[in-house]
Amino acid sequence: MTGGVPSAKFGLALLGGFKLTGPEGVVDLAGGKLAGLLAYLACMTPRPQSREKLSTLLWGSHFDAQAKQNLRQALARLRRVLGQDALRGDGETVW
């Protein structure tokens, strides 16, 4: 845990449509790519996923540097919503 503060509890439903719920109700991620990234990581848990694979999967039509930047920004936004402890990663992988 970061800073000793426990992360809020979230629920994720994928069957019948994407639905993320938190302590205050439904969470709107305001973007299909964010929802797709979270859903993919949740489905692949606990296996780490390479950042290269994720950036290509979601932003393959962009130049490599832009795709990697988009992934960094998306991961930062997910951490702001879910809490810093919700996603783990290193320089090569995310889980």
Side-chain angles (χ1 to χ4, degrees):
M1 282 186 223
T2 304
V5 178
S7 293
K9 300 294 180 195
F10 289 86
L12 179 60
L14 300 176
L15 296 175
F18 181 93
K19 184 176 180 182
L20 177 64
T21 55
E24 298 177 16
V26 175
V27 177
D28 180 13
L29 291 181
K33 300 258 181 163
L34 280 181
L37 176 58
L38 180 57
Y40 188 82
L41 289 171
C43 288
M44 301 308 281
T45 296
R47 295 179 303 265
Q49 300 300 305
S50 78
R51 288 175 180 262
E52 185 76 31
K53 177 180 176 180
L54 294 170
S55 64
T56 300
L57 180 66
L58 293 165
W59 294 280
S61 63
H62 293 74
F63 290 109
D64 189 51
Q66 183 62 51
K68 289 178 181 177
Q69 176 64 22
N70 290 347
L71 177 61
R72 281 191 296 274
Q73 290 174 348
L75 291 170
R77 290 196 328 239
L78 285 176
R79 285 185 176 109
R80 279 194 301 273
V81 170
L82 302 172
Q84 292 297 313
D85 293 340
L87 300 172
R88 304 286 178 165
D90 56 29
E92 300 296 321
T93 60
V94 179
W95 64 97

